[in-house]
Each structure stands twice: as structure tokens, then as C-alpha cells.
Amino acid sequence: MIPGFAARRQFSDLTEQEVLALAISSEEDDGRIYADYAEAVRAEFPATARVFEGMSAEENAHRRQLIAEHERRFGNHIPLIRREYISGYYARRPVWLVKNLGIERIRSEIARMEHDSANFYLAAAKRSSDPGTRKLLGDLAEQERRHEEVAEELEAVNLPPDAKAEEEGKARRQFILTWVQPGLAGLMDGSVSTLAPIFATAFATQNSYTTLLVGLAAAVGAGISMGFTEAAHDDGVISGRGSPIKRGFASGAMTMVGGLGHALPYLIPHFWTATAIAGVVVFVELWAIAWIQNRYMETPFLRAVTQVVVGGALVLAAGILIGSG
């Protein structure tokens, strides 16, 4: 038996009072979540923060309506019952996790929250025997479904087109500085710097297993080194490049991916087959780097190709020549 699950109850087993109590606690939690999102984005996206504050106020208004209905039917004492007590009930993702994924991810999470809440109120309304409660729950379901429209109305007041465009531009720049730039640097380092040792080993030994070991060591070692270097050399406070942990992870992971791309083909025992596949992978890696530079760093495509593909080809040729000597 999984610990904690035995104590959970089925939604169908709740009394009408407990359903109302669950709705009250859920609205309270959602109001606080919106407030947390507002606080998380306030410094960089003040207009969006005001939108989230408006949605928090909406949830608090729902909570007060539910409390008034509970008092009408069952009195002042509201039983403590929360989402985590109910088996199969919808859950909210942790604020600390979602807020680190960017403003668009927060907006999509809020849309999911409203969808879940609307479905809950529809299910709760079907189980209510009191006409007043059933009407309230049905109205709340409709309001949750309308929250997308409410959000648009709040955006129209607090987030005019010029402010929204400014925020979207700022979010894009932050994404590039925190994820794309260090990730691209790592991919370039992993793809290009490991070419010479891997292919030198390949042509010197003509042994897939030995080449694989050297390639794994080079890719993993370079990934760890690049990750720690990126995280340690800039805390992001002055430069505005974002969390050093995120940048270190992006740089280290992409460095490792770049090196492993042309090392893993040597899992194939037949040396020349593995080498041919590794060569194709190198070609794809270098063109991918050129495309990313052009797409996100606005580097002209021909210049990116010259810098990356030609440079990588020279490193590859150097490795082959050294290994064949």
C-alpha cells in the first residue's frame, strides 16, 4: 500500500457540506497562487502583475460567496478539507516551479487552473440537492470558464498593446540570455572541441570501443567543466542574465549533448559504419548550431555557416590527420 493514499477519500463520498468546504479552501489557495504569481513577475512585468492581482481578487470574491452559502446552509464552522485529501482531485503545480519557466508558462498554467476549477464546479453542482447551492456552483463554473474573457478585460485595462509588446520583448531577451546563449555556447564547445580527440582516437586505433570511451570521457568532462564555469563566473545580478544555476545547467547539458552526438555512434562495433554515422551527426550538429545562431542570435546565416561549419570542418580534419599520422 502506498503511504498517504489510504487516507484519501473519493470525491463521490463527500457530503454537500464537505464539497462546499473543499471549494472554499480551493478558492483560497488559488487566490494566493495568483498573488504569488503577481509578486513573482512584478519587477520585470508590472502590467501583468496587475492582471494577476485582479484575478486573485476574483478568486477571493468567489471564496466569500461560497462562505456565505455555507453559513446559510450549515452554519459558521467550515470543516478543514483540502485538495490533497481527495483521491483523483485536481492538483496545482508548485508556484516555485512554474514561475521559473517564464511568463508564457505562467499564463498557460493559469488557463489550466481555470479549466480545472470549472470542471470541479460542474461536478459539484450535479451532486447538490439544494437549489440555491446548485445555482451558485453552476454560476461559479460559468465564471471560471469566463475567466479567460475576464483576463482579457483585465489585460485591456492594465496591459495595453505597447506594454504587452515591451513585456514580451523583455521575456524573449531574458530567455535568450538565460537559456539560449549559454546553451548555444555549450553546444558549440561540445560539438567542436571534442571533434579532434574523438576522431584522432578513432583513426589512430580504428577501434569502436576505445573511441567510445574517449568520446564519453570528453563529453562528460567538458559538460561538467562548462556547467560549473558558466554558473560560477557570473551570478546574473549585474549582468541580468538570470539564475546561474539555470545557465550552468543549460551550458553543461548542451555541451554534453554536443560531445555525445558523435561519440555514441561508436556503440556500433563495425568501425567504418560507426565513423560514417558519426560524420553525418557532426554535419547535422554544425548546421543546427548555425541555425540557432541565425534564429535567436540574429547572426546572418552565411556568416554563421562560415564560423561554425567551416571551423568545425577544420577541427575535424585536424583530428583525422593527427589520428592517421
Side-chain angles (χ1 to χ4, degrees), residues 86-279:
I86 309 303
S87 177
Y89 192 68
Y90 68 82
R92 299 302 192 210
R93 293 184 178 92
V95 172
W96 57 264
L97 174 63
V98 177
K99 74 179 183 181
N100 287 328
L101 299 180
I103 190 68
E104 289 304 323
R105 183 66 183 80
I106 293 175
R107 287 171 178 157
S108 66
E109 177 65 15
I110 286 175
R112 189 185 73 87
M113 289 171 61
E114 300 303 334
H115 176 77
D116 289 343
S117 296
N119 287 342
F120 161 70
Y121 283 125
L122 286 174
K126 292 177 182 177
R127 298 191 58 235
S128 177
S129 60
D130 182 87
T133 301
R134 189 163 56 249
K135 181 180 184 305
L136 172 61
L137 293 173
D139 290 345
L140 289 177
E142 184 60 29
Q143 289 178 40
E144 296 291 351
R145 290 190 182 281
R146 284 194 62 253
H147 262 187
E148 186 174 353
E149 299 174 17
V150 172
E152 291 175 356
E153 294 169 2
L154 290 169
E155 283 191 6
V157 175
N158 297 297
L159 194 61
D162 55 342
K164 186 172 184 178
E166 181 182 350
E167 288 193 354
E168 288 175 349
K170 187 182 295 184
R172 175 180 167 81
R173 287 192 299 273
Q174 192 62 55
F175 172 73
I176 291 174
L177 288 173
T178 303
W179 294 105
V180 177
Q181 201 174 65
L184 179 61
L187 184 60
M188 291 177 65
D189 185 83
S191 298
V192 176
S193 68
T194 59
L195 284 175
I198 290 176
F199 281 91
T201 303
F203 281 85
T205 64
Q206 295 195 10
N207 182 282
S208 289
Y209 181 70
T210 302
T211 304
L212 176 64
L213 292 182
V214 172
L216 291 176
V220 173
I224 294 172
S225 175
M226 284 289 289
F228 274 99
T229 300
E230 177 64 40
H233 91 278
D234 179 10
D235 62 7
V237 175
I238 296 177
S239 66
R241 296 179 64 219
S243 165
I245 295 176
K246 294 179 186 177
R247 290 186 287 104
F249 175 79
S251 180
M254 294 309 293
T255 301
M256 202 173 299
V257 167
L260 290 175
H262 43 267
L264 291 180
Y266 286 97
L267 286 167
I268 300 171
H270 189 269
F271 172 76
W272 290 110
T273 301
T275 301
I277 294 175

Side-chain angles (χ1 to χ4, degrees), residues 287-317:
W287 278 95
I289 292 170
W291 180 84
I292 293 171
Q293 282 190 325
N294 174 256
R295 173 70 174 80
Y296 291 100
M297 310 305 292
E298 300 181 0
T299 304
F301 190 71
L302 288 178
R303 184 194 303 174
V305 170
T306 302
Q307 292 174 345
V308 178
V309 177
V310 175
L314 291 174
V315 175
L316 175 62

